[in-house]
Amino acid sequence: MKKVIICGIPYEVITKEVIDCEGEGKTLGYIDYANQKITLREDLPEETRKETLIHEMIHGILCHIGRNDLNNEDFVQSMANALFNSSIEIKE
């Protein structure tokens, strides 16, 4: 996946060897609103990378809908975990 659309705005998805936004080496990904990019650590297992992408997309959605009051790590991670572990089953 190289691009996602968040609230109508395309974001390029890139991977990087090391991301260290917080100076602790623990950052798995981040969203750059100004440059419309989401960066993910390339050394993550595929499932972790997917959940991290969902996490960053939730940050983007909250920002674009003006809900920065909810745009904190605890809430965003809870939502990302819930969405990542959910599925849709349609029975007719």
Side-chain angles (χ1 to χ4, degrees):
M1 182 180 315
K2 298 188 188 249
K3 180 173 80 168
V4 295
I5 308 293
I6 302 173
C7 297
I9 299 173
Y11 281 78
E12 179 184 7
V13 179
I14 59 175
T15 59
K16 210 174 180 183
E17 186 175 329
V18 175
I19 300 172
D20 194 8
C21 296
E22 299 172 4
E24 299 174 8
K26 296 181 180 180
T27 303
L28 303 182
Y30 64 90
I31 186 166
D32 178 348
Y33 303 105
N35 295 304
Q36 295 173 226
K37 290 184 181 181
I38 293 175
T39 303
L40 306 172
R41 281 180 56 164
E42 68 183 8
D43 64 341
L44 298 176
E46 182 179 351
E47 298 301 306
T48 304
R49 192 176 316 120
K50 288 177 183 177
E51 185 176 9
T52 302
L53 178 58
I54 292 168
H55 176 105
E56 298 309 326
M57 290 179 71
I58 292 169
H59 276 302
I61 291 166
L62 292 171
C63 178
H64 288 293
I65 66 171
R67 290 304 307 262
N68 286 321
D69 59 314
L70 298 175
N71 211 347
N72 65 71
E73 288 303 312
D74 288 337
F75 178 77
V76 171
Q77 186 56 43
S78 295
M79 290 298 297
N81 190 304
L83 285 169
F84 181 74
N85 290 295
S86 300
S87 63
I88 299 172
E89 184 178 329
I90 300 173
K91 294 183 180 183
E92 294 183 26

